[in-house]
Amino acid sequence: MSEDDQERTEQPSEKRLREAREQGNVPRSRELSTAAVFTGGVIAVMSAGGGIGRSARDWFKQALSPPRSLLETPQELLPYFGHQILQLLLTMWPIVLVALATAVVAPMAMGSVQFNTKSLAPKFDRMNPAAGLKRMWGSESVAELVKSVLRLLFVGTAAGLTLWSGTKLLRSLVGMPLEMAMSQGVGLALKMLFATCGALALLAAIDAPYQKWNWKRKLMMSREELKREMKESEGSPEVKGKIRQMQHQMSQRRMMEAVPTADVVVVNPTHYAVALKYENGKAGAPIVVAKGVDETAFRIREVAEQHKVAILSAPPLARALYRESDLGKEIPVRLYAAVAQVLSYVYQLRNWRTAGGRYPAQPAVEVQEFVDGRPNGATDGAGL
């Protein structure tokens, strides 16, 4: 075994197994296919033997008594023989059909039914004499030699035991009437066929698990291959960083598009900004539609000014809203009273703009910025 094979200590991944199947590299057991086709043929002969025998008898009668007109028209000989061969094939159609069906069904037990053109492509590496010698003296050749010996041993033992048990019957056939002798002989032949089926099935039961194990063994991976595949599947850190950056930019853009729909923007006044929106009847409490610090806070205020959204300076409330609120979610319960004061001021401000009168006084919003003296749920949702 080469050093490369010794390093392959990891089981093949699902991706590697899938790619192998797509390329036509699937586990195959010739012994399983042989046993299935042979057994299917024997069962077909037993089931349809009578009809096949009658059809074969009629075919022989017709084939051995050609029409005399063929002697006068020799050019009709070739079409006549072609027709006879076709009739013979039609006579054997049950056996052929069962053999084809079992040839397709048998690989399904190995999970190796694949229809693709890649396996039909020429492989020039197989024409390399060095590779051929390696295959001749490799582990695969040893396995094939062992299977050949087992095949001879199993089939020979099954046939020998059947003949040994039927020795008396074979000796007595000479003195039997023709029809009885044929019946007894056919029975003995069927016993031998069934014994052969059992021998081939035993060999297939040994070969099929070995072929599946050997297929996976050849696809085993080294640690480096496994790491490389995981890296390719998950993506490189540079690509993932670029994706996160693009997601952050898209989130920022959506957030800024939501600022004009807000009722008020609570600011620090320079470092924090939180935009709130309240829809009576649709939500139980105001919802945070945008929030940010520093540059993001500046952009929120800028957009709010452009769209004439009310801006209220309440540093403790702004910081508390930023730390404890999630983007797109309702504000915390403990901040209801403070935010209610803010919204009341905003509604009074709107009424003043439309109806005039006395300019509303800005409320002195008092709120405990921290819960138990510590920040509560400090999260930056601006990049969500």
Side-chain angles (χ1 to χ4, degrees):
M1 188 178 291
S2 64
E3 293 181 1
D4 185 55
D5 289 336
Q6 291 177 356
E7 293 175 357
R8 295 183 178 181
T9 57
E10 305 300 321
Q11 292 296 323
S13 63
E14 288 298 325
K15 181 175 180 290
R16 190 179 182 92
L17 295 176
R18 184 176 65 254
E19 289 177 349
R21 292 189 182 98
E22 290 173 354
Q23 295 173 1
N25 182 6
V26 293
R28 295 183 179 90
S29 173
R30 287 186 231 171
E31 308 304 327
L32 179 62
S33 299
T34 302
V37 172
F38 189 83
T39 304
V42 171
I43 294 175
V45 169
M46 288 188 60
S47 302
I52 293 175
R54 288 188 294 272
S55 299
R57 180 191 60 192
D58 297 339
W59 180 85
F60 273 109
K61 286 182 179 180
Q62 185 177 359
L64 296 177
S65 58
R68 294 182 176 274
S69 59
L70 290 177
L71 299 175
E72 301 175 359
T73 56
Q75 64 273 16
E76 298 293 333
L77 283 173
L78 187 60
Y80 175 78
F81 284 121
H83 177 72
Q84 293 303 317
I85 292 174
L86 180 60
Q87 290 297 321
L88 179 61
L89 292 176
L90 291 176
T91 301
M92 306 296 293
W93 74 265
I95 300 177
V96 175
L97 185 62
V98 171
L100 290 175
T102 51
V104 173
V105 172
M108 292 182 179
M110 300 284 292
S112 59
V113 178
Q114 294 286 332
F115 299 95
N116 57 58
T117 57
K118 292 183 179 180
S119 57
L120 300 177
K123 298 180 179 179
F124 297 102
D125 58 335
R126 293 184 176 272
M127 301 174 63
N128 186 354
L133 290 173
K134 184 178 179 181
R135 288 194 298 271
M136 287 178 61
W137 301 104
S139 58
E140 297 294 326
S141 300
V142 175
E144 290 298 324
L145 176 61
V146 171
K147 285 197 298 181
S148 299
V149 173
L150 290 177
R151 189 183 303 112
L152 289 174
L153 180 62
F154 290 173
V155 175
T157 301
L161 291 175
T162 304
L163 288 175
W164 179 264
S165 64
T167 302
K168 293 182 180 179
L169 176 62
L170 289 174
R171 290 175 180 174
S172 64
L173 291 178
V174 180
M176 292 183 182
L178 180 59
E179 292 184 359
M180 183 181 293
M182 290 182 62
S183 176
Q184 294 295 327
V186 169
L188 181 61
L190 288 176
K191 287 182 181 179
M192 185 177 295
L193 289 175
F194 274 115
T196 304
C197 289
L200 292 176
L202 179 60
L203 183 59
I206 297 173
D207 182 61
Y210 166 76
Q211 293 297 339
K212 202 155 192 178
W213 170 84
N214 192 40
W215 175 70
K216 282 193 174 182
R217 180 186 65 82
K218 292 179 180 179
L219 294 175
M220 288 184 70
M221 307 170 68
S222 65
R223 290 183 179 273
E224 290 300 322
E225 289 176 329
L226 195 59
K227 290 179 181 177
R228 192 182 313 120
E229 182 179 290
M230 291 178 63
K231 185 176 180 180
E232 292 174 356
S233 301
E234 296 177 359
S236 63
E238 294 80 6
V239 174
K240 289 192 289 186
K242 186 66 175 178
I243 292 174
R244 283 196 297 267
Q245 181 182 359
M246 293 176 63
Q247 290 175 339
H248 178 75
Q249 292 174 351
M250 292 174 62
S251 177
Q252 290 282 316
R253 185 166 56 251
R254 288 195 300 268
M255 190 174 66
M256 293 304 169
E257 291 174 353
V259 172
T261 66
D263 293 312
V264 63
V265 175
V266 183
V267 297
N268 188 32
T270 56
H271 294 292
Y272 291 83
V274 180
L276 302 176
K277 179 180 181 180
Y278 178 66
E279 294 180 333
N280 190 15
K282 293 185 179 180
I287 296 174
V288 178
V289 296
K291 69 175 185 174
V293 295
D294 298 332
E295 183 180 351
T296 304
F298 175 78
R299 292 178 56 198
I300 292 174
R301 291 195 304 271
E302 190 177 41
V303 174
E305 290 174 355
Q306 292 175 358
H307 293 82
K308 298 181 179 180
V309 177
I311 300 176
L312 177 66
S313 177
L317 179 60
R319 291 190 292 266
L321 285 170
Y322 177 82
R323 292 191 183 99
E324 301 177 31
S325 302
D326 293 324
L327 195 63
K329 300 294 181 64
E330 296 181 358
I331 63 172
V333 176
R334 79 176 193 90
L335 301 178
Y336 278 6
V339 172
Q341 287 183 275
V342 173
L343 291 178
S344 176
Y345 167 74
V346 171
Y347 296 149
Q348 292 176 23
L349 189 61
R350 288 180 182 174
N351 186 50
W352 172 81
R353 288 175 179 172
T354 56
R358 186 177 179 182
Y359 187 83
Q362 183 170 324
V365 180
E366 296 182 2
V367 65
Q368 185 179 357
E369 184 176 346
F370 300 120
V371 178
D372 298 330
R374 294 172 299 180
N376 181 33
T379 59
D380 185 357
L384 296 178

